[in-house]
Amino acid sequence: MTLHVGRPNLPNKTQFLSYLTGIWERNWLTNDGPLVQEFEQKISKLLGVEHCIAVANATIGLQLVAKALGLTGEVIVPSFTFIATAHALSWIGLTPVFCDIDRHTWCINPERVERLITEKASAILGVHLFGRPCDHARLSKIARAHELQLFYDAAHAFGCGGIGGLGEAEVFSFHATKCINSFEGGMITTNHQVLAERLRLMRNFGFEDEDLVVSLGINGKMSEVHAAMGLASLAQFQDVVLVNRQNFGVYRTCLTDVLDVTLHYPGDNYQYIVLEVYGDRDGLYEALRSEGVLARRYFNPGCHKSFPYAFAWSGRQMTVTDYLSAHVLCLPTGMSVTYEDIERICGIIRNWRDGDGSIRNSS
Ligand code: T4K
């Protein structure tokens, strides 16, 4: 059987269908409907953050925040992230300035951020990569000192300690592959009321009232069907985390005596199983694929080596990003992965040898 990274954790079907029945009875399909509001309120309570604004996906969520903050010119972002972080900015005319990451957290390196600040910079956009929090204390100090806005891409980090109310705003993804999914979807969270009000207007074309447009806006709304899936998914969130944590434990046990790989702590929601492979990562990736295990090289290459950024960034030093993008491998987890699956995956890793025998067991 083929095993995927990012296989959706499907929620209770009966619960989802009962939400759908309600949608049919009300005949209210989108535009700030009751399920969207319920979803926002539940997440607000769970994360302990004052305002939640549900959006069509995290990419548009990032764009809405950037617009609502009035950003201009350059925004400093890590290069080691999914391309959406950078594209969200470029698509609205901002310039992502790529920064290397910290070797331990794999998040944006605050020391490096300082060196990249120019007169054109208007913000820092941190990414809580794989659910591990950025160094918010240091980043906010830098942002304050240079009068920059600070916001976060929290696409990976739902339910991870303290994340939700950091910076001006944070943006979660509820894409199908995430531990909470609304098919497609996202959530902006903030403790700043004025910003929240602006975001709500901008999400709906800038309408303040029926005939009154008071700001520039876009269609960033979440529909009721998406919110229904999100609510059903939220109801099983703790179960998903528990299963992911148990899966992580099985991986750790099965890989303890394999010397040339390190299994990294993935963040409190255990959404990603992240392996650092010291030998031929791509050889191992192919070996797994040939056995039906579709591991992923998240995130390879770093954004600074991707279209359309590569040309402008060629020759720049991005040591940690370049190293990790060549050595990271994400493995399957989630509710559809069994302990036997994990033993099989680890068996492939254990038995695999590249030309130099660079994956070694301790025995
Ligand atoms: N910021 C960061 C740091 C992000 O990682 C992301 C998204 C964003 C921002 C933007 O968030 P959104 O705008 O999407 O809300 C996947 C996801 O599509 C993407 O949302 C996610 N990050 C990224 C890390 O992973 P791909 O290009 O790897 O997706 P794909 O189609 O290759 O699917 C991944 C695996 O999941 C495959 O093995 C197949 C499996 N799968 C996928 C889907 C959609 C299923 O089994 N069932 C499914 O329904 O980006």
Side-chain angles (χ1 to χ4, degrees), residues 180-344:
I180 291 190
N181 102 77
S182 58
F183 299 114
E184 293 273 358
M187 191 69 77
I188 306 172
T189 58
T190 179
N191 284 319
H192 301 277
Q193 189 173 341
V194 174
L195 179 63
E197 282 164 10
R198 207 175 293 151
L199 286 163
R200 285 190 182 282
L201 287 173
M202 287 183 152
R203 176 182 69 172
N204 185 29
F205 311 105
F207 275 110
E208 188 177 80
D209 207 345
E210 222 169 79
D211 302 318
L212 182 62
V213 174
V214 294
S215 89
L216 196 62
I218 196 166
N219 184 352
K221 291 167 280 148
M222 178 183 275
S223 84
E224 288 290 275
V225 171
H226 291 85
M229 185 65 160
L231 282 164
S233 183
L234 187 61
Q236 66 160 11
F237 175 60
Q238 299 304 340
D239 299 337
V240 172
V241 174
L242 185 66
V243 167
N244 282 348
R245 191 159 51 194
Q246 286 166 346
N247 287 348
F248 176 78
V250 180
Y251 271 110
R252 192 171 46 193
T253 307
C254 291
L255 292 173
T256 37
D257 59 344
V258 181
L259 296 180
D260 284 358
V261 298
T262 296
L263 182 65
H264 284 271
Y265 176 72
D268 294 348
N269 60 21
Y270 292 84
Q271 186 174 280
Y272 292 94
I273 295 291
V274 187
L275 207 62
E276 184 176 349
V277 182
Y278 301 109
D280 175 10
R281 187 273 314 265
D282 293 339
L284 178 57
Y285 166 81
E286 293 299 343
L288 286 162
R289 282 185 88 83
S290 71
E291 302 272 351
V293 180
L294 306 186
R296 294 299 294 257
R297 291 171 286 199
Y298 289 141
F299 291 97
N300 177 49
C303 295
H304 69 292
K305 290 192 168 170
S306 276
F307 182 86
Y309 314 107
F311 182 71
W313 286 83
S314 73
R316 303 274 194 110
Q317 278 283 321
M318 209 73 74
T319 321
V320 187
T321 299
D322 288 339
Y323 167 78
L324 281 177
S325 57
H327 289 86
V328 163
L329 204 55
C330 288
L331 300 173
T333 189
M335 293 183 116
S336 57
V337 174
T338 64
Y339 293 167
E340 290 73 29
D341 291 332
I342 298 173
E343 279 164 6
R344 184 167 79 81

Side-chain angles (χ1 to χ4, degrees), residues 2-8 56-62 80-86 88 127-130 153-156 171-178 183-186 271-272 289 294-296 298-299:
T2 306
L3 292 167
H4 297 263
V5 171
R7 201 78 177 146
N57 55 62
T59 307
I60 208 143
L62 290 169
F80 194 57
T81 180
F82 190 55
I83 199 72
T85 316
V127 179
H128 304 301
L129 203 86
F130 299 135
D153 177 336
H156 300 173
V171 182
F172 295 92
S173 171
F174 298 142
H175 180 262
T177 53
K178 301 292 186 283
F183 299 114
E184 293 273 358
Q271 186 174 280
Y272 292 94
R289 282 185 88 83
L294 306 186
R296 294 299 294 257
Y298 289 141
F299 291 97

Side-chain angles (χ1 to χ4, degrees), residues 1-159:
M1 198 187 87
T2 306
L3 292 167
H4 297 263
V5 171
R7 201 78 177 146
N9 297 301
L10 291 174
N12 183 292
K13 192 171 162 188
T14 311
Q15 191 179 10
F16 175 63
L17 292 177
S18 84
Y19 279 123
L20 286 195
T21 304
I23 294 173
W24 252 248
E25 283 166 3
R26 286 186 295 275
N27 200 355
W28 192 276
L29 306 187
T30 185
N31 290 16
D32 206 17
L35 294 183
V36 164
Q37 291 182 23
E38 186 182 335
F39 192 35
E40 290 176 342
Q41 283 155 15
K42 284 197 163 145
I43 287 182
S44 189
K45 200 166 163 208
L46 190 74
L47 300 185
V49 65
E50 233 157 285
H51 308 280
C52 285
I53 300 104
V55 285
N57 55 62
T59 307
I60 208 143
L62 290 169
Q63 292 178 326
L64 281 166
V65 174
K67 280 282 184 193
L69 291 173
L71 302 187
T72 56
E74 298 176 351
V75 177
I76 302 169
V77 289
S79 178
F80 194 57
T81 180
F82 190 55
I83 199 72
T85 316
H87 278 359
L89 301 170
S90 302
W91 194 259
I92 55 172
L94 295 165
T95 304
V97 171
F98 296 113
C99 183
D100 208 354
I101 48 166
D102 177 86
R103 181 69 179 95
H104 301 290
T105 63
W106 298 9
C107 295
I108 195 163
N109 183 332
E111 207 177 293
R112 300 243 160 199
V113 168
E114 283 217 276
R115 294 191 220 159
L116 293 169
I117 297 171
T118 69
E119 278 175 5
K120 292 189 206 145
S122 62
I124 303 167
L125 169 53
V127 179
H128 304 301
L129 203 86
F130 299 135
R132 302 200 283 203
C134 292
D135 186 344
H136 176 64
R138 285 180 72 193
L139 289 174
S140 55
K141 211 167 152 195
I142 295 166
R144 257 198 315 274
H146 295 271
E147 296 181 357
L148 300 176
Q149 307 278 7
L150 173 62
F151 64 121
Y152 289 103
D153 177 336
H156 300 173
F158 192 85

